Structures are given as structure tokens and as C-alpha cells.
Amino acid sequence: MAAALREAQLKAASDGAKQFVDNYYICLNGSSQPLRTFYASSNAKYTSCAQPVTSDITVNGAVLTGGPDEYESMIKAQRQTPSGIETKVRYEVEGWDVHILNPDFTLACPENLLTPTDPDAKPDRRTKDNIKASLLLQVTGMISYGGDKEAPRSMFNDVFVLVPNWDTYVKNPARHARKWLVMSQNFRAL
Amino acid sequence: MAPPTGPRAGTNASAARGKSTGIRRPGGGIQKQRGPVGGRTDRDGDVSMDAPGGAGATRGRKSGRSSKISERTTKNLLTYATSGPSKSRFANSVALKVTGLDLSSGDSKHISSVLAFLERKASKNLDRQLSINKSAVDGNSLFIQVGKDDVPSFLHLDGFTYGPATLGISESHEPWPQRKSRKGGLSESGAAIKERLQEVLFKRYDVNTRVLNLSALGQDEVLQSMGLFDAKDTAEKAFKALVHICNQQFETDKAKAEAIQGVSLASNALSTVTPVFDLALRFPRLKMLDLSNNNISNLRQLTKWRHYFQQLEVLVLTGNPIEKEEPNYKTELLDWFPKLQIINGQQFRSAQEIEAREAASRPRPIPQAGADFRDSDGVGENFIRTFFPLFDSDRPSLLSTFYDEQSRFTLSLISNGITTSTSVPSWQPYLKFSRNMAKITTDAGRSQRLFEGGAMIADLWKQLPATRHPDLTDFTKYIIDCHPIPGLPDPTRQSSAGVGGLVLTIHGQFDEMEPTTQNVGMRSFSRTLVLGPGPPGRNPIRVVSDMLALRAFNPLPGAPDPATLPAAAPGPVPTAPVVDVEEQKKQMAMALTNRTKMTLEYSAMCLDGTGWDFNMALQAFEEKKAQLPPDAFLPA
């Protein structure tokens, strides 16, 4: 059954990462959703546990002490032209890849979920959808600065360590709650 | 884009008839006999039950001719109706070949009259009118398809004279001539016209100024001799053909924009740009446009071009009535064409002003802040110093040192990237291993392309092309970020919360040689490595995950501040491979040839001049390439 568990974990990682990639860049391209909902530092379980976790965000080499909100304001400022007009900046994903980093991730995990994943257990719904793992996600894409065809473009590379949102590991999780949260991010425009 | 309607058989004919019917199918001698087939509908949409022929069909201006054609169609319809559908035309018909005619003019009118002649003569002394189902021209042979029963009547015409020609008619056993395909070909006369137009273009192109001079086309002797500018609509078609042929000379839009930077349409008696509108579609990146000495009287005559020519810098409109009739037109034009600097030789704004204005309308990218290298005790720095030299020279020992049964490696191709290089080496060696999950969407496919454990990774790395990463001290070629993360798997299984490690992200480039073809090329990469503590008794550092994203080469954004990068002391580079200097030079020259298409000799000369620095040589090439003689390049 270990193989089945592995397949289930890989699938959960793939599906989770895909959902994250789809939603995250829509948000970056200017949806009304606050960016912080994607990050572990906005989740009480991570911020108030024994070893508090804050999301480590680096953008083009600068460490953002202000966290996701600082990144969001940078993204908003980026859309402004020097003359103060709001334009488009589009992040377009060209490729991504995900690894399971730690298949038994326990940081900030509530007590009741701490029973280690039994490799011989049947991959029931819980293990299928809610693997307790951290993920390494690398996204590559293109940014176009401006909405027109002549807009300057550059490549980007965005690396995330995603961790489970323990709040979704309950019977009736809040709707729209993100399953995976960003613990670390390293973004580069190339 | 409508096909060019100029250089092909039949143009003259349709023009000569006066009003042309617009776009007709190109390239064929085949003329299906058409008429009011399929019944006509009346005002209410009901099908008219009258037989489509006779008086009903003699509408339109060419009543005489169309009655002839419609009679033939009527016959066809009757035959069709009486002998049942589908088979009659094919099973009961025979192809005949008519020789002895001069059909080289490609004149469709001429062919029509030949067909009418054959029908009339074959029907002589018969109580019914015979008809030809379809016809086709192949060279000087005319193929006709007639009803099986009518064959003797047509064969009877063998030896008849038609004008100066003596007709030969026989049953044809050759295959029915195929319609010339739209792509491949033009009829013979079409090809000849095209060739002559090409000559005209060649004569009118100035290599030095990169200007294509299409001025005073009506006075061009060659074009005049071809009769292309006799009538207004032929002139327009001829212009379209010229522009189209010119457009065909270039493989890429970039090459086109590079070669043709200006076009002169001076002295063409243009009162509006409508007839020459195509220029905007074919050459959207023109920098110079000369419309002097035409008849343009106001801005309305130019509006068609308004949203085109966004790169236009110089415009000449002298000698047009617009100068008097709409004195403020220049202000308006500066608004239309954002890069326009000079109108009629007078500079209205500078390139800097335009640049500044454009920059002001662009978003401001988040600035680059150098490297974020939060290392712990030099672990990350030492790792990188070992990693790249070993990856290039000795992958097995790299694997046995840092990778274990739980290490993971994947690679992804980002095939759609921005690149400065003209020749991107083939992705073939990586293609089947690429786990770009935007492209590989099945669970099985994704699972297959995940390489877990040193043995599997070793097997893959053996199949990947050899690489050469630049020296780590070259800060312009690397951006390396590093920061700690918690929660990695503990190989000792003591800490349930996991252990701390490092995330290293390296953006850079490497030279590559493909093993089977020996092709050398350069690629850009982003590689993320997660490092954790090794298990007891093994190397203290292990690779948890190794993710490699490859894309076409593109230089990194401005060199980061060297102060924030690891110091440049020679690291513990083990067993540097012994390299034959001459061999290395040869490979470098080959690599340069591969990139630049210069000959090996010129590549070597170029490299010699820059102290065998590949990138400097490449830069030198980019600067000097315009001045190089043609024999510096490999034959195309």
C-alpha cells in the first residue's frame, strides 16, 4: 500500500499546486482578493504555535519585512505609470513543477492530527485530499508591463514552499479557505 | 489576408472586361461552367419553379454571352435531372483532349469562345444542343468532359480549323489536370509576372538607406510594358502584388523590419491611401514614409493608416494639397504616430522626448535588489562552489556525495521564453524528461518524470547533454539567492517538527554540447535546490530536492551588487578535468559558428581578438556584423 499512498500524495501535491498556481497569479494580475490569504503568516495556527512561522518573502532579492501586504502594495505600485495612471502588469505562467518536500510535515499541526501517516493505511479520503506534507513549487513565466502588444516583457521565476492549511483539515472547512499556504517565497524577474 | 490578385493568368482578361468581380480563384485554367445552378429564389425565398434558362437567365449586362452559358447549364441540369444524381457527370462522361490551340495567354475569354465553338460545331445537324460539362487547360492542351453519347460528335471535329489553328481532338487517357495549388504555384505566366515584379523591386531597393522606392510607379518602364498601370484597378492590384512579393522575401518579421525601414510612395497621384493600405499590414514597422507629390488633400484621406505604423519616425507630405487645405495636420499626425519625429524635414520632437513620454506611460517594474544570500555558516556558498564544477565534470561523484535514496530531481522546459539569441539549440535531449506540469497533465506522466533516489537520477543525468557552467566569480552570469527554511524531514527521525535547511535559487546560463550531434549551444536556467542535514555517517549536507527549469538563453537583468555575493576565493574544486587547450578553442569556435553562422575561420579570428572570451566575442560579432564581408558567413 506504500505505493498507493505515494501515488495519492503525488496527486494531492499536483492538484494542490495547480490550484495554487491558477489562483495566485490571477490575484497578482489584479483581482480584488487580498494577497495575504495565500500566506501562512495570515493563519493563526502558524503564527501562534510553539515555533511561530512567518512567511519569508524575497522579491527580486529584497526581503520583505512587511510580509504579503508589502508585496501587495509593491504589485499595486508597479501597475502605476510615472504619470500616475493605472495600467496592466500581467504575470503569465509558462511552466511549473512541484515536489513533496517533507511527506510528514508537522509544524503548527493541531494535536488531533498528529498521528503519523501510516504507510500501510488505506489511502482514504483524508490522506488523499489532505496529505500532511510541505511542497516545493517552482513557477516560470512571463511578465508583460503594459496591456498592449508593444509592452516590454521579462521572464520570471517564483519559488514557493507551500504548507498545509490545517484549518481545512476539519470536517466542514470554511468555504474558499486555501488548502496550501506560502511559508517561503523567492521571486525573481529575469 | 486576401490573396494577391495581381500576377497571374486571367488578370488581364478580368480587367479588360471593365468592372471586375473582385476576388476570383487564383491559378487555374479550370473553368467550371457556371450559371444559375441550384435554382433561384423569389422574394419570399421560395424556389422558382421555372426552368432556369431562356429569358429568365438572361439577366445582367452580358446578356448575349450569359444566355449561351445558361443554355449549356440548362442542358447540364436536364441531363442531370433525367439520368439521376451523382453518376451522370462522371460515369457517363468521357474526357477529350483538344490540341493545336495557342492558350498561352491564359485568357479565359478566349477559352470560352473555343468551348462555344466546339459545342456549336458538334451540335450541327443534331436535333439537340450538345454541351461540354467541364473544361481545363494544361499548357496548350484543352481538356473537355462531354457526355458519353456525344463523344462521336466531338471527335468529328478533329481536323477542324479554329482561326489559324487546326484542332486535334482525341480521347484523353491522361489524368484530368489538377488545379494548381494556391501555395505551390502560379501558372507559368503568373510566375513570369512575379519574376519581373521581383526584378522591379530589386532595382528599386536601396541597400544603404534600406528604403524601398515605390515612387512614380506609373512611369516605370517595366511595369508600363506589362500594362499593369493602364487602368486604375490594375494599378491597385499591381501595387498589392508588389507589396506581397516584397513581403515574401523575408522569413521573419524581424528580418523584414530590419531590411525595409522606409518606403517612398512619392508621385503616385494618390488622393487617398486606400489603394496602398496593404503597406500598413505588410510593413507595420516602417520608420520612414514618403508620400510627397501626391494628391492628398485632407487628413480623412490618411485615416486608414491611423492605427498602423506605430514605429514611424519620418513622414514626408510635401507637394500635397493638404499643406494648404489643412494647415494644422502636423499636430494631428504627431498624435496618430507615437514615434513620429520629423514631418517634411522639420523635427517636431526628439527620440529622447518620445522615449521619456513612453516610459511615463509604462508601469515601473519592481527594481532588482542584488542577491538575498542568507547563508548559514557558509553551507550554501560551499555547496554551490562544489556543485556546478562537479555537475559539469563528474556527475556520479556529485550524486554520491549529496544525493541519497530520498533525493528528488526534475527538470522542466520552458519552451516559450524571451530570448536574444537567434538560434536556440534543439530541446530534443530534454524533451521526454521535461516535467513542466503546465504541459504534462496526467498523473502517470508526472509520476514518470519524477526522479527519486540517486540511482534514478544518475541514470537520467547520464543521458543529459554535457554542460559547462560559467565561473562562479562572474557575477553578471549568476543570480543566487539563499534563505533558511524549517520543517524539512529529519534523517535521524528524532525531531518530529523536522529540521532546518536552506533553499537555494540559482539563475544563470550554461554552454551545452549535445552528445550525438555535438551541437553546441547556450541555455538559461533557474535551479532550485533544497539542502538539509545529511544522515549520520554520510555527507553532512544532503540535497532534498533539485528542480531545474530550462529556457532559451537570455542574459540576466543588470549585474547584481558583487558585495552581497559570496566572496571569490577558490573553493574546494575537486579533480578539475584536464582540458586540451586547442580542443577547447576548436569547440569554442564551433560554438560561435553555431550562434553566428560565421565560418569557423572568422569565428576563430573573432575569438582570438577577444582573448578567447566567448561572450565578448559574441558581443564583438553583434557590433561588427553589419561590416563583415559576405564570405565571413556560411553559405545559407
Side-chain angles (χ1 to χ4, degrees):
Chain A
M1 292 309 283
L5 176 70
R6 180 181 175 271
E7 291 301 317
Q9 283 182 330
L10 284 178
K11 185 167 168 43
S14 296
D15 294 350
K18 176 171 185 347
Q19 202 176 27
F20 175 85
V21 170
D22 288 350
N23 294 326
Y24 186 82
Y25 292 98
I26 288 175
C27 187
L28 225 52
N29 286 339
S31 81
S32 52
Q33 296 257 20
L35 198 61
R36 76 177 90 88
T37 59
F38 289 93
Y39 290 82
S41 46
S42 62
N43 180 282
K45 287 213 171 51
Y46 280 101
T47 50
S48 61
C49 68
Q51 293 168 276
V53 172
T54 50
S55 301
D56 188 329
I57 308 172
T58 303
V59 175
N60 285 345
V63 184
L64 305 190
T65 47
D69 289 344
E70 185 180 353
Y71 191 26
E72 187 167 303
S73 57
M74 283 166 84
I75 293 285
K76 281 201 175 128
Q78 183 178 236
R79 275 184 226 128
Q80 301 282 322
T81 67
S83 42
I85 299 159
E86 172 131 358
T87 57
K88 275 185 189 159
V89 176
R90 271 196 73 78
Y91 292 73
E92 209 82 60
V93 175
E94 296 290 343
W96 57 276
D97 195 4
V98 68
H99 286 183
I100 293 172
L101 212 50
N102 185 350
D104 214 358
F105 184 81
T106 55
L107 276 179
C109 183
E111 290 281 333
N112 62 323
L113 291 170
L114 266 178
T115 46
T117 317
D118 178 3
D120 293 322
K122 242 187 168 179
D124 62 357
R125 251 196 74 76
R126 172 166 286 184
T127 49
K128 228 185 206 163
D129 291 345
N130 293 335
I131 57 160
K132 291 184 285 175
S134 57
L135 309 178
L136 177 68
L137 169 65
Q138 178 168 257
V139 184
T140 308
M142 218 181 272
I143 316 173
S144 44
Y145 302 97
D148 54 311
K149 262 203 267 171
E150 304 282 332
R153 297 181 310 164
S154 72
M155 300 297 289
F156 75 85
N157 185 265
D158 216 350
V159 178
F160 301 90
V161 174
L162 300 178
V163 295
N165 181 359
W166 302 118
D167 293 343
T168 63
Y169 282 59
V170 294
K171 221 170 190 175
N172 293 309
R175 291 174 70 198
H176 312 304
R178 314 230 179 253
K179 288 201 112 151
W180 297 91
L181 301 170
V182 178
M183 184 169 80
S184 129
Q185 178 180 18
N186 187 324
F187 174 90
R188 274 283 175 188
L190 296 167
Chain B
M1 194 74 247
T5 49
R8 66 147 201 278
T11 301
N12 297 342
S14 59
R17 268 207 305 276
K19 261 192 188 163
S20 104
T21 48
I23 298 161
R24 301 171 69 223
R25 295 203 184 166
I30 296 179
Q31 302 281 319
K32 237 185 184 165
Q33 306 297 336
R34 274 175 206 233
V37 190
R40 297 165 56 211
T41 53
D42 66 18
R43 238 172 224 259
D44 300 314
D46 297 320
V47 177
S48 163
M49 295 308 286
D50 300 281
T58 55
R59 64 190 197 285
R61 55 192 185 283
K62 296 171 287 183
S63 55
R65 286 177 45 74
S66 63
S67 82
K68 191 80 197 163
I69 292 166
S70 25
E71 266 169 43
R72 198 152 61 214
T73 316
T74 316
K75 291 296 294 181
N76 284 346
L77 279 174
L78 282 174
T79 322
Y80 182 83
T82 49
S83 61
S86 78
K87 279 180 288 179
S88 63
R89 304 270 291 276
F90 306 98
N92 296 330
S93 59
V94 172
L96 302 178
K97 186 178 175 183
V98 183
T99 53
L101 291 159
D102 177 18
L103 300 170
S104 57
S105 70
D107 187 342
S108 60
K109 205 174 173 185
H110 177 54
I111 293 160
S112 303
S113 48
V114 172
L115 293 173
F117 169 82
L118 292 171
E119 285 178 343
R120 195 171 65 242
K121 290 292 175 191
S123 309
K124 211 173 179 188
N125 302 326
L126 290 178
D127 55 358
R128 61 193 179 98
Q129 175 74 36
L130 300 185
S131 62
I132 292 168
N133 294 340
K134 64 173 181 175
S135 65
V137 174
D138 186 20
N140 271 337
S141 305
L142 173 66
F143 290 83
I144 55 172
Q145 193 193 53
V146 299
K148 207 157 133 189
D149 302 336
D150 306 339
V151 171
S153 308
F154 280 99
L155 286 179
H156 172 69
L157 306 180
D158 189 24
F160 271 51
T161 53
Y162 178 77
T166 306
L167 301 181
I169 300 185
S170 57
E171 260 189 70
S172 163
H173 302 288
E174 298 164 40
W176 192 259
Q178 290 303 303
R179 180 193 294 266
K180 301 250 180 3
S181 84
R182 202 175 270 238
K183 272 183 199 155
L186 293 162
S187 63
E188 242 171 79
S189 54
I193 291 176
K194 183 177 170 178
E195 208 165 288
R196 292 183 74 178
L197 290 180
Q198 262 168 343
E199 267 171 50
V200 170
L201 283 171
F202 191 73
K203 263 195 288 180
R204 287 171 163 268
Y205 176 62
D206 185 333
V207 191
N208 297 320
T209 57
R210 308 204 174 174
V211 170
L212 180 63
N213 180 4
L214 298 179
S215 64
L217 289 175
Q219 271 86 63
D220 189 290
E221 278 177 24
V222 180
L223 296 176
Q224 253 178 2
S225 74
M226 292 166 78
L228 288 177
F229 282 80
D230 296 349
K232 204 176 165 192
D233 62 332
T234 15
E236 187 175 332
K237 282 179 188 169
F239 176 79
K240 281 184 178 174
L242 274 173
V243 170
H244 177 70
I245 290 170
C246 187
N247 185 51
Q248 278 181 339
Q249 312 298 314
F250 303 101
E251 276 180 21
T252 62
D253 286 350
K254 210 177 155 189
K256 183 168 68 181
E258 187 72 18
I260 298 196
Q261 303 195 340
V263 167
S264 169
L265 287 170
S267 314
N268 274 316
L270 293 167
S271 54
T272 155
V273 297
T274 311
V276 288
F277 171 73
D278 271 25
L279 192 72
L281 297 176
R282 303 290 194 185
F283 297 96
R285 304 186 72 86
L286 280 187
K287 288 186 173 156
M288 195 286 286
L289 194 55
D290 184 353
L291 287 170
S292 57
N293 301 318
N294 279 298
N295 267 329
I296 293 159
S297 58
N298 58 52
L299 281 167
R300 268 201 315 282
Q301 317 298 359
L302 293 169
T303 40
K304 277 215 157 196
W305 274 349
R306 175 167 185 168
H307 296 289
Y308 298 87
F309 297 125
Q310 296 295 295
Q311 308 296 323
L312 193 67
E313 291 170 8
V314 181
L315 181 64
V316 186
L317 271 168
T318 47
N320 279 286
I322 192 171
E323 287 188 289
K324 280 205 188 95
E325 290 179 26
E326 212 161 330
N328 286 329
Y329 72 100
K330 289 175 189 166
T331 335
E332 187 80 5
L333 289 177
L334 287 167
D335 208 37
W336 287 11
F337 305 111
K339 298 258 168 84
L340 188 56
Q341 296 176 33
I342 299 166
I343 304 175
N344 299 348
Q346 188 188 347
Q347 179 123 22
F348 284 85
R349 54 192 177 197
S350 67
Q352 288 84 349
E353 276 174 83
I354 289 168
E355 207 173 295
R357 209 177 60 150
E358 188 177 286
S361 71
R362 290 285 174 209
R364 285 168 293 184
I366 296 170
Q368 294 281 342
D372 163 32
F373 207 82
R374 285 173 280 154
D375 203 351
S376 69
D377 299 330
V379 166
E381 183 185 334
N382 285 329
F383 174 81
I384 291 174
R385 285 191 188 292
T386 320
F387 183 83
F388 285 112
L390 266 187
F391 188 81
D392 290 345
S393 63
D394 189 357
R395 291 175 190 172
S397 71
L398 178 65
L399 282 163
S400 61
T401 314
F402 294 107
Y403 293 70
D404 57 28
E405 299 67 45
Q406 273 77 48
S407 302
R408 297 176 189 91
F409 172 81
T410 50
L411 69 88
S412 333
L413 296 188
I414 312 301
S415 45
N416 186 16
I418 299 166
T419 179
T420 51
S421 73
T422 45
S423 64
V424 179
S426 160
W427 292 111
Q428 193 56 42
Y430 300 99
L431 211 55
K432 63 179 171 188
F433 307 117
S434 171
R435 198 190 187 227
N436 180 346
M437 287 165 83
K439 303 264 157 67
I440 307 294
T441 52
T442 64
D443 292 332
R446 288 169 170 181
S447 178
Q448 250 171 39
R449 290 167 177 81
L450 170 65
F451 298 89
E452 260 176 316
M456 250 180 112
I457 301 172
D459 192 47
L460 168 67
W461 283 6
K462 256 186 261 168
Q463 301 173 62
L464 296 183
T467 53
R468 191 169 57 218
H469 290 80
D471 196 284
L472 280 161
T473 53
D474 191 342
F475 297 127
T476 59
K477 290 177 184 146
Y478 285 101
I479 295 178
I480 306 176
D481 290 335
C482 170
H483 68 270
I485 52 155
L488 292 176
D490 180 3
T492 65
R493 299 186 179 278
Q494 281 168 351
S495 162
S496 66
V499 292
L502 289 173
V503 181
L504 280 166
T505 309
I506 304 124
H507 309 287
Q509 66 187 61
F510 61 78
D511 289 320
E512 163 192 308
M513 189 185 283
E514 210 274 314
T516 48
T517 61
Q518 302 278 298
N519 282 337
V520 184
M522 190 150 52
R523 303 190 195 277
S524 282
F525 72 90
S526 290
R527 194 164 193 168
T528 301
L529 287 143
V530 177
L531 305 181
R538 295 277 294 271
N539 194 63
I541 306 290
R542 65 180 284 260
V543 170
V544 183
S545 267
D546 178 356
M547 240 182 221
L548 175 62
L550 299 174
R551 51 183 195 277
F553 174 71
N554 201 40
L556 292 171
D561 182 5
T564 56
L565 273 161
V573 182
T575 58
V578 185
V579 187
D580 181 342
V581 178
E582 279 316 306
E583 184 59 30
Q584 211 177 25
K585 285 186 173 179
K586 209 171 117 192
Q587 284 182 8
M588 226 191 259
M590 274 170 68
L592 192 64
T593 293
N594 199 35
R595 288 283 299 280
T596 61
K597 304 287 170 242
M598 283 194 297
T599 62
L600 271 177
E601 287 85 336
Y602 269 89
S603 291
M605 270 157 55
C606 185
L607 281 160
D608 216 32
T610 59
W612 293 89
D613 181 315
F614 186 84
N615 288 298
M616 274 170 66
L618 200 61
Q619 212 180 333
F621 166 76
E622 290 297 341
E623 284 164 16
K624 302 266 169 65
K625 72 176 164 191
Q627 297 144 35
L628 289 172
D631 68 349
F633 294 93
L634 296 171

